[in-house]
Amino acid sequence: MQLLHVDSAITGDQSVSRQLTARTVTAWQAAHPSTTVQYLDLAQQAPSHLSAQSLGFRTGQAAATEAECAENALSEALVSQFLASDVIVIGAPLYNFSIPSQLKAWIDRLAQAGRTFKYTEKGPVGLAGGKTVIVASTRGGVYSTSEGGQAMEHQESYLKVVFGFFGITDVRFVRAEGVAMGPDAKAAALASANVEISTHTSVAANQGRVSQAA
C-alpha cells in the first residue's frame, strides 16, 4: 500500500496540522505495516498557480517553450504521484475561511480531464476512485457547531467536493478547531483529534466504498 503524506501549513514546527498529519501517518503505518510513504511539503515545494505556461494539460496544446515543458512535466509528476497512492493524508489548515493557496495549487494540477475525471453525456465522472483521503483539518476558531460557522468555512466543504469530483468516496476528517482560543481549548481540540486519528487509521483503506459495494 502506498501512502502520500502532504503538508501545506506555512508555520513549520508551530503548525497543528503538521503535528496531526505526522501522528496520522505513524498510526496508519502501525495499523497497516505494509504501507510505504512518500512525502510532499507544499510549503517548500509548492507548484506555481495556473498560468498560460502551465495549462497544457487542460488545453491539449503541445509545449512550445522550455517553461511550458517544465510546467507540463511538473503537472504530470504530481498527478502520477497522486494516482499511484492508495491513501492520501493531507494537512489542511483553515486560512481565511478556505485552504492554503499552495494546497489549492496542488489540487489544480491534479484536476486533469482524462486522468482524475472525465466528462460524459451524463456529466462528469471521477476516475480516481478506490482511494482513501484523510484530512487533518485545523481551525483557530470553532465553525462546526453553528449554521453561521458552517456557512463561513470553505475548507472541509471544498475538499469533500473536489475529491468527490475525482471519484473518491472515502474522505475522512481529523478535526482540531478552537486551537487559538486558549490553552484549554487547544488541549481539548488535540485530544479530540487524537481519538479521531485512532478511529480513522484503524479502518481499512476505502472501507466505506467496500461497504457500499457489499
Side-chain angles (χ1 to χ4, degrees):
M1 182 182 298
Q2 179 69 47
L3 184 150
L4 176 60
H5 177 183
V6 181
D7 277 325
S8 65
I10 60 175
T11 48
D13 293 339
Q14 302 303 312
S15 165
V16 175
S17 69
R18 286 177 179 268
Q19 296 174 33
L20 295 181
T21 59
R23 293 176 192 173
T24 300
V25 171
T26 297
W28 187 275
Q29 288 182 292
H32 312 278
S34 62
T35 303
T36 58
V37 177
Q38 288 191 333
Y39 182 60
L40 179 60
D41 188 340
L42 293 173
Q44 301 296 324
Q45 301 169 273
S48 61
H49 295 292
L50 293 182
S51 66
Q53 284 73 41
S54 60
L55 279 176
F57 68 86
R58 291 198 173 178
T59 64
Q61 183 175 351
T65 67
E66 289 186 10
E68 290 172 350
C69 287
E71 292 290 351
N72 287 354
L74 175 60
S75 296
E76 177 58 31
L78 291 174
V79 75
S80 294
Q81 181 185 51
F82 175 78
L83 290 172
S85 302
D86 304 293
V87 180
I88 302 97
V89 175
I90 301 171
L94 182 75
Y95 286 0
N96 297 319
F97 309 111
S98 187
I99 61 173
S101 60
Q102 53 268 27
L103 180 55
K104 175 63 163 59
W106 175 69
I107 292 171
D108 285 343
R109 298 299 184 117
L110 304 182
Q112 299 189 27
R115 305 298 298 280
T116 51
F117 71 94
K118 66 179 179 179
Y119 286 109
T120 72
E121 65 279 2
K122 295 183 179 180
V125 175
L127 300 176
K131 302 182 186 302
T132 291
V133 173
I134 304 176
V135 178
S137 165
T138 56
R139 304 162 172 182
V142 176
Y143 294 83
S144 67
T145 58
S146 68
E147 288 186 12
Q150 292 166 12
M152 292 170 68
E153 78 87 8
H154 305 284
Q155 170 203 33
E156 293 182 11
S157 56
Y158 168 71
L159 293 171
K160 282 181 183 178
V161 168
V162 74
F163 288 119
F165 185 79
F166 292 166
I168 300 172
T169 61
D170 188 5
V171 181
R172 311 172 189 178
F173 287 91
V174 172
R175 180 189 299 149
E177 59 181 351
V179 298
M181 298 175 66
D184 291 343
K186 182 176 182 179
L190 292 176
S192 176
N194 285 332
V195 171
E196 291 179 334
I197 288 172
S198 296
T199 299
H200 292 325
T201 57
S202 65
V203 178
N206 209 31
Q207 190 63 45
R209 187 182 179 93
V210 171
S211 297
Q212 290 174 7

